[in-house]
Amino acid sequence: MLDTLVFATVLLPFLVAAVLLVLREQNVRKVILVATAGVLALASLAMLRGGAFILSPAPLYDTLVTLGDFVILFVVLAVGFKRKNQIIIWLTAAQILGLVWLDFFMVHDHGATPAFFADDLSLIMVLIISIVGSLIAVYGIGYMKEHEEHLHLPKSRQPRFFFFIVLFLGAMNGLVLANNLLWMYFFWECTTLCSFMLIGHDDTEIARKNAERALWMNVLGGTAFLFGLIILQKTAGTLSLQDILAKGPEMAVAGGAILIPMFLLVFAGMTKAAQAPFQSWLTGAMVAPTPVSALLHSSTMVKAGVYIIVRLAPIYAGTYLSNFIALFGAFVFLATAALAAGQSNGKKILAYSTISNLALIIACAGINTPAAITAAILLILFHAISKALLFLCVGAIEQKIGSRDIEDMRGLWAVMPRTALITVIGVVTMMLPPFGMLMAKWMAIESANGQFLVMVMLALGSGLTVLFWCRWAGILLATPFGKIKPETQASTVRFPLVVLAGLAVVVSFLSPFVYNGLVAPVVAMYYKTTAYTVSLGNFESSTGVFIIYPLFLLLGLGLYFAIKQSRKVTAAQIADPYMCGEQQTVGGKPGFLGPLGMHVAAASGNYYLEQFFGEAMLSKWINAIALAVLVIMLFGGAL
């Protein structure tokens, strides 16, 4: 049974991807994608029910993984030569040489290390990838049809697109289940190649440029990952993640040599998670079709980066390295929240807020207490659901109104009432109590007690996130009075939106059960204690209480009375905005009589304070400070 579940979540997507690559019939592709999504979701739930496990496939698979490593590296090398990118060429060549040395001269017992190992953290990740990722793939069916019609393509590129989408899901499941770090490296490089191909999918000049940037930055991380494994094999004598987690903490305290490979693996995670100064590859990835953006930001790629950092946290707990990881994460959290506050482009707001929330997860890994790790795991879960939902909403809105600027979303309720409501749900679950994201942020800030600078940056960053989420929600709720048009939408687009909106609310409602059943056991396993107790559905710790169900009740009552009152509003009660000068309405647009008798239409908009929060203003300073902290982390924390 276990073999079947691992096959269904890891190997099956590789096989289905190969079929989709050669399949041209759109209806058959749709059936296969929906069926695969269902299999992945059911298999992940069955795997969760089965609990922790260790699995060693046949020795043949070790050979195939080694072969796959070299195939991917030579493909990337070929891309480097084709694009004439010296960074890609030299870094990939270094990886090839390093992999030859590691595989054939250092590791002599490939079959002795179990390939797969799963605890509740791995199983949570498989759930996110297989359910959220599958919903994004299903959404892509309807989205890509309209996307290609808009581009007027003479020949559909959907076979290649869905090949890499489904391959991505299998690679991510393999990555989070891998116990043998050589296997993890193979899946890690798979995600790098998939992201490059998907970001450059539309084959425009800007898409090719941003795909190349994403590739060299992630190849840099891959090089750090591989050389981290080489040093780890030398210092620990094993590449078994389970063994390293068992004896790594003692090695870190005793000599500290293991902190060098730990830094390299954490650095690899930071590049994969698009942390400063590498955030430009993820913001540049916004040129890709929306399903790609949603997949990269929610359930794959960037989550691989924070997964490895959180996974290794017990090893470097209590070290100088851990303290600097906390400082780095808190700084990037605050800085990229400020960048998000200066944006009106919906996708850029989501991109910078993603980087910001990933940095918060990294800060929690650096704080490295039971409370902080609890917050990190819950942030991974809740962020994946709500952020996938918001990206898919922006994609649907953009195809309808022709813009992703939030200022153009005023009055969206009259045009897309269902999507507008779902988008508001996504925004609300990112910022308000009693939803999981705010609860996890409360845990993160509370866990920073005793690290004043980190705590202040986390609190300020959280305040800025409320600013840009409230602004967006306010625009969506600024609805003109009048008749609402019924919304038409492809079922493959509507279904993922509705399901993700439901999950965002329901999983938050069930957060006490999620904590007790999945998060607390992981924290207790590695930290010998837990930080929170659940009493009557509320989270309690030594420093505070987070109330869940009474707040849900208040939220429900508030929503009920707000809707009830809004239905009483009549057309006679609607008033135009008052302005200096003679009021007049021309063409249904209110305004006033201006100079030379010209009509000046009323306009509304938000302040984005680009002089304080603009990319041009902040990015260079953010990158310089982040790079300085990384250098100190290497030479101060690892030596």
Side-chain angles (χ1 to χ4, degrees):
M1 180 63 177
L2 185 57
D3 286 346
T4 303
L5 293 177
V6 173
F7 171 85
T9 53
V10 180
L11 186 57
L12 179 63
F14 280 73
L15 299 177
V16 171
V19 172
L20 293 174
L21 184 61
V22 298
L23 186 65
R24 297 291 166 181
E25 178 54 46
Q26 191 169 16
N27 289 330
V28 179
R29 184 191 306 123
K30 179 179 177 179
V31 171
I32 291 175
L33 279 167
V34 172
T36 303
V39 169
L40 280 171
L42 291 173
S44 66
L45 289 168
M47 191 178 286
L48 178 68
R49 185 178 180 184
F53 65 84
I54 300 173
L55 181 66
S56 296
L60 172 64
Y61 288 100
D62 281 304
T63 304
L64 291 176
V65 165
T66 301
L67 179 62
D69 278 331
F70 285 105
V71 169
I72 291 172
L73 288 174
F74 278 106
V75 168
V76 173
L77 186 63
V79 171
F81 278 111
K82 183 179 179 180
R83 301 291 177 90
K84 298 179 182 178
N85 189 307
Q86 295 297 316
I87 299 175
I88 295 174
I89 292 170
W90 287 106
L91 288 176
T92 307
Q95 284 191 68
I96 292 171
L97 293 175
L99 188 60
V100 169
W101 178 255
L102 180 60
D103 261 327
F104 302 111
F105 295 96
M106 294 187 72
V107 179
H108 303 290
D109 55 346
H110 287 276
T113 302
F116 296 112
F117 157 71
D119 58 13
D120 285 336
L121 175 57
S122 301
L123 297 176
I124 289 171
M125 294 298 298
V126 171
L127 274 179
I128 293 170
I129 297 155
S130 299
I131 295 178
V132 177
S134 293
L135 287 169
I136 294 169
V138 171
Y139 171 94
I141 298 169
Y143 179 91
M144 290 307 294
K145 182 176 182 294
E146 191 166 337
H147 181 75
E148 292 194 338
E149 288 174 358
H150 174 73
L151 294 177
H152 305 292
L153 295 180
K155 183 180 179 181
S156 175
R157 297 177 188 153
Q158 289 189 45
R160 188 182 71 172
F161 179 83
F162 285 108
F163 167 78
F164 285 109
I165 287 284
V166 177
L167 189 68
F168 219 144
L169 298 180
M172 272 301 299
N173 276 332
L175 191 155
V176 300
L177 289 173
N179 174 65
N180 187 330
L181 290 176
L182 277 171
W183 282 57
M184 186 182 287
Y185 172 73
F186 164 70
F187 293 120
W188 188 274
E189 292 301 281
C190 275
T191 64
T192 295
L193 182 60
C194 287
S195 65
F196 166 74
M197 298 303 295
L198 287 169
I199 294 169
H201 174 76
D202 284 342
D203 203 31
T204 60
E205 183 179 351
I206 190 170
R208 290 191 295 269
K209 179 181 177 182
N210 283 296
E212 186 176 334
R213 181 195 294 137
L215 184 60
W216 80 253
M217 287 187 178
N218 281 285
V219 166
L220 175 63
T223 305
F225 193 109
L226 180 63
F227 281 89
L229 297 191
I230 292 172
I231 300 172
L232 195 58
Q233 175 66 32
K234 184 71 175 176
T235 56
T238 180
L239 292 180
S240 167
L241 182 59
Q242 193 179 15
D243 291 345
I244 293 167
L245 285 169
K247 63 182 181 181
E250 293 181 7
M251 295 179 65
V253 173
I258 198 172
L259 292 182
I260 298 174
M262 287 301 103
F263 168 80
L264 291 172
L265 292 173
V266 167
F267 176 81
M270 288 175 175
T271 58
K272 189 74 80 175
Q275 296 299 286
F278 307 107
Q279 74 275 18
S280 60
W281 82 254
L282 193 61
T283 56
M286 296 302 97
V287 301
T290 293
V292 177
S293 303
L295 204 62
L296 290 174
H297 286 252
S298 64
S299 57
T300 62
M301 200 64 173
V302 294
K303 286 298 190 296
V306 293
Y307 167 76
I308 191 67
I309 296 172
V310 173
R311 169 60 79 192
L312 298 174
I315 299 174
Y316 55 77
T319 66
Y320 190 75
L321 176 62
S322 189
N323 293 334
F324 267 91
I325 291 172
L327 186 65
F328 176 89
F331 168 73
V332 177
F333 172 61
L334 171 60
T336 48
L339 285 171
Q343 304 298 318
S344 66
N345 182 309
K347 269 197 171 184
K348 276 208 168 183
I349 294 171
L350 295 178
Y352 279 123
S353 69
T354 293
I355 298 165
S356 182
N357 280 294
L358 296 171
L360 178 58
I361 296 168
I362 291 169
C364 289
I367 295 168
N368 226 332
T369 62
I373 298 302
T374 299
I377 297 172
L378 290 174
L379 281 167
I380 289 172
L381 174 61
F382 292 119
H383 178 264
I385 298 171
S386 294
K387 193 52 67 71
L389 173 61
L390 286 168
F391 264 108
L392 299 189
C393 285
V394 169
I397 293 167
E398 183 180 13
Q399 286 193 333
K400 182 70 175 181
I401 70 173
S403 173
R404 61 180 65 161
D405 195 302
I406 65 172
E407 292 293 337
D408 296 329
M409 296 181 192
R410 294 179 188 277
L412 187 68
W413 186 275
V415 182
M416 304 178 74
R418 185 194 308 111
T419 304
L421 175 61
I422 290 174
T423 307
V424 169
I425 291 172
V427 170
V428 165
T429 57
M430 286 294 295
M431 69 169 183
L432 287 184
F435 297 107
M437 279 298 295
L438 187 76
M439 180 185 72
K441 284 182 180 178
W442 165 72
M443 291 177 174
I445 296 171
E446 187 181 74
S447 70
N449 185 27
Q451 300 185 42
F452 180 74
L453 183 57
V454 171
M455 185 169 60
V456 168
M457 288 192 287
L458 295 187
L460 290 174
S462 295
L464 283 171
T465 62
V466 174
L467 167 64
F468 58 77
W469 290 131
C470 281
R471 180 166 57 200
W472 196 344
I475 287 172
L476 290 169
L477 293 172
T479 305
F481 186 86
K483 194 173 182 180
I484 297 174
K485 299 177 183 177
E487 181 179 354
T488 57
Q489 203 169 54
S491 59
T492 53
V493 172
R494 183 174 63 251
F495 178 75
L497 294 182
V498 172
V499 172
L500 285 169
L503 283 174
V505 176
V506 171
V507 176
S508 287
F509 188 81
L510 297 176
S511 57
F513 302 97
V514 173
Y515 171 76
N516 279 334
L518 295 175
V519 181
V522 174
V523 176
M525 180 188 302
Y526 295 110
Y527 292 86
K528 312 306 179 189
T529 185
T530 57
Y532 298 95
T533 57
V534 177
S535 176
L536 300 175
N538 303 319
F539 286 84
E540 298 180 2
S541 71
S542 58
T543 54
V545 178
F546 192 90
I547 300 171
I548 301 290
Y549 297 126
L551 287 178
F552 264 109
L553 179 61
L554 287 174
L555 185 66
L557 289 173
L559 182 62
Y560 169 76
F561 285 111
I563 294 173
K564 185 177 179 180
Q565 288 300 115
S566 68
R567 287 176 175 172
K568 295 179 181 179
V569 178
T570 64
Q573 294 173 292
I574 305 299
D576 289 337
Y578 176 77
M579 292 164 285
C580 296
E582 182 182 342
Q583 304 285 107
Q584 60 177 209
T585 300
V586 176
K589 296 182 178 180
F592 65 94
L593 190 64
L596 304 178
M598 300 288 290
H599 173 72
V600 180
S604 57
N606 284 284
Y607 288 109
Y608 291 90
L609 302 175
E610 289 191 9
Q611 68 271 34
F612 300 110
F613 299 127
E615 289 176 291
M617 177 68 185
L618 292 180
S619 292
K620 61 182 180 181
W621 296 107
I622 292 170
N623 292 342
I625 295 170
L627 186 60
V629 175
L630 286 173
V631 170
I632 295 170
M633 211 186 297
L634 172 61
F635 292 103
L639 296 180

